[in-house]
Amino acid sequence: MFQNLKEQPADKILALMAQYKADTRDTKIDLGVGVYKNAQGETPVMRAIKAAEQKLWEVETSKSYVALAGDPAFSDAMIELVLGTSVARDLVASVATPGGTGAVRQGFELVKMANPKARVFVSDPTWPNHLSILKYLEMEMVPYRYFDNDTRGVAYEGMLADLDQVAEGDIVLLHGCCHNPTGANLNLTQWQAVIDLLNAKGAVPMIDIAYQGFGDGLEEDAQAVRMVASSCPETIIAASCSKNFGVYRERTGLLMMVSQDGSGRALNQQTLNFLNRQNFSFPPDHGARLVTMVLQDDALRADWKAELEDVRLGMLALREQLAGELQRLSGSDRFGFIAQHRGMFSRLGTSPDKVELLRKEHAIYMVGDSRLNIAGLNAETVPILAKAIVDCGI
Ligand code: LMR
């Protein structure tokens, strides 16, 4: 039977990780996978998470199951973090999931259950795994224009024109902040126009928010998702704790369904619980528990926020440095967009050939679509990258 298996397409980002690992050049620079790294190239356990972990070791007396939806305290804490007071708590159904990817996957399955004919509108480009999961689930995808390769900003007019094609019951997948892979984001006026369009058409927004706190700040990065959740009749939200709590391998995420019609909440919750049970039963608890402890304890929360803010400001400083260095070396302002983009990524907007040249000639690794992870840089490697970019004629 196993001989019937066909080779599956390799995930571009994970393939790049392996390629980087195998490279023996000691000058190599990893700007590939979206993992935060400090100036020493390490991905440390955040201080507050470490402190919570120590405390948990002392107080945890059982590893027995918690609940299909995960610990309700985790849901409460995360809903507050993502949605603030924008929607009443009793309008939100939610389940803990294995990471943000788990939430995305369950969210798509939920859509399929609710409307098997739904088309999912996806930004062009989007995180490749969105497309891969949709394909695996045999769901129809429709790309909408998003990135303007000339300005390296959002192709806003094109985006609205493409979203004008949505029909009632379709889903529009949006990145809550820090768009992956481009780093280009809508402003709040533009978000409002998208919301108005979706509401006029009866389409449902699904928001993937994986980088809250990495862009303009913890509250600022949640503004758009709060606007959407409070203005649209129904919203699906997949939130990840991997990056902003640094708990990547613990697989910690939350899937939320917001419905302005509160009478549907029990059914929504039951459906989410059912999906968890079918897919993996109980969600992982360790990371979720640490996140809850951090968010519930004033001192730990303050320390986590301070460390996250340092991470954010560090990435912004690297953006400024890289844009400045490129301006100096190229004598042009054409790289100014790097300082304007937000989050972990920027899309350079160059060809796969040039990306390959950077890898071959300079041992610099970025995703083939020219997405670079800003956090993979430090003050010493920024000038090296800038010189390589100019040398490669980008
Ligand atoms: C990325 O985009 O690099 C991250 O979200 C990690 C991943 O799983 O792809």
Side-chain angles (χ1 to χ4, degrees):
M1 181 180 90
F2 294 167
Q3 72 276 11
N4 297 332
L5 293 172
K6 293 188 185 68
E7 199 171 334
Q8 298 300 324
D11 182 284
K12 283 183 242 164
I13 298 172
L14 303 187
L16 191 73
M17 271 172 95
Q19 219 182 359
Y20 174 81
K21 214 170 170 188
D23 191 328
T24 52
R25 291 174 285 184
D26 54 13
T27 54
K28 65 185 178 179
I29 300 176
D30 178 15
L31 308 179
V33 67
V35 170
Y36 171 75
K37 284 184 241 148
N38 63 18
Q40 289 73 45
E42 294 150 357
T43 305
V45 181
M46 292 181 87
R47 294 186 301 262
I49 290 290
K50 198 79 184 156
E53 212 153 32
Q54 194 159 17
K55 190 165 161 204
L56 185 60
W57 186 83
E58 284 162 13
V59 300
E60 190 170 58
T61 52
S62 174
K63 293 280 187 194
S64 177
Y65 297 126
V66 180
L68 270 185
D71 185 354
F74 173 64
S75 277
D76 288 346
M78 281 298 291
I79 289 169
E80 197 248 322
L81 184 73
V82 177
L83 292 174
T85 54
S86 62
V87 287
R89 175 66 184 86
D90 60 5
L91 299 181
V92 190
S94 62
V95 277
T97 53
T101 309
V104 166
R105 165 73 190 259
Q106 304 268 91
F108 290 153
E109 289 190 332
L110 171 73
V111 168
K112 211 175 163 181
M113 282 172 89
N115 179 12
K117 293 200 167 65
R119 299 174 301 166
V120 181
F121 283 67
V122 289
S123 64
D124 180 16
T126 190
W127 183 46
N129 211 22
H130 285 150
L131 307 178
S132 176
I133 296 173
L134 284 167
K135 185 165 176 234
Y136 179 66
L137 293 174
E138 298 179 341
M139 293 174 73
E140 189 179 343
M141 304 172 237
V142 184
Y144 61 84
R145 275 171 280 174
Y146 186 81
F147 188 66
D148 182 331
N149 218 47
D150 294 330
T151 64
R152 268 75 156 181
V154 177
Y156 176 61
E157 300 299 329
M159 175 180 179
L160 280 193
D162 289 350
L163 290 184
D164 202 49
Q165 308 304 314
V166 295
E168 192 173 342
D170 282 339
I171 299 293
V172 177
L173 181 62
L174 298 152
H175 298 225
C177 63
C178 308
H179 185 268
N180 178 7
T182 67
N185 297 289
L186 296 171
N187 63 36
L188 293 182
T189 313
Q190 293 169 332
W191 270 103
Q192 188 57 55
V194 171
I195 290 170
D196 292 343
L197 179 65
L198 300 196
N199 281 343
K201 300 276 180 184
V204 177
M206 174 164 163
I207 302 188
D208 185 355
I209 179 157
Y211 297 90
Q212 186 182 349
F214 273 39
D216 290 310
L218 208 47
E219 295 300 309
E220 292 81 351
D221 290 349
Q223 286 268 85
V225 62
R226 291 175 187 178
M227 276 166 66
V228 173
S230 60
S231 326
C232 295
E234 295 177 335
T235 308
I236 301 167
I237 304 162
S240 170
C241 300
S242 297
K243 278 86 184 185
N244 52 4
F245 289 89
V247 289
Y248 305 84
R249 67 175 68 160
E250 302 295 355
R251 311 314 295 139
T252 308
L254 189 77
L255 175 63
M256 294 167 248
M257 284 171 82
V258 185
S259 174
Q260 301 299 337
D261 176 3
S263 67
R265 184 178 172 223
L267 181 61
N268 292 349
Q269 187 62 56
Q270 200 253 334
T271 307
L272 292 179
N273 291 0
F274 172 84
L275 278 171
N276 268 15
R277 183 66 169 160
Q278 305 321 302
N279 280 327
F280 45 78
S281 200
F282 295 86
D285 179 73
H286 188 72
R289 194 154 295 277
L290 299 177
V291 166
T292 311
M293 289 169 79
V294 168
L295 290 176
Q296 283 181 341
D297 180 290
D298 286 347
L300 290 183
R301 188 180 176 118
D303 189 48
W304 166 69
K305 279 169 83 168
E307 189 171 358
L308 180 60
E309 187 63 0
D310 284 347
V311 163
R312 185 180 80 82
L313 294 175
M315 288 190 292
L316 273 184
L318 289 167
R319 287 186 176 282
E320 293 285 345
Q321 190 193 352
L322 181 58
E325 196 71 20
L326 281 165
Q327 206 243 9
R328 196 177 63 77
L329 292 177
S330 71
S332 98
D333 290 331
R334 68 178 192 279
F335 294 103
F337 66 89
I338 291 173
Q340 306 305 318
H341 285 168
R342 284 294 178 273
M344 217 178 215
F345 308 116
S346 268
R347 177 184 257 210
L348 276 184
T350 191
S351 67
D353 289 351
K354 299 278 187 192
V355 172
E356 184 59 8
L357 201 60
L358 282 169
R359 190 186 67 77
K360 273 206 178 127
E361 303 288 321
H362 301 274
I364 293 171
Y365 284 72
M366 61 180 74
V367 184
D369 63 1
S370 74
R371 182 192 86 170
L372 66 96
N373 174 7
I374 293 290
L377 292 165
N378 61 36
E380 279 77 51
T381 52
V382 163
I384 298 171
L385 171 65
K387 185 169 180 310
I389 288 176
V390 173
D391 284 354
C392 288
I394 292 170

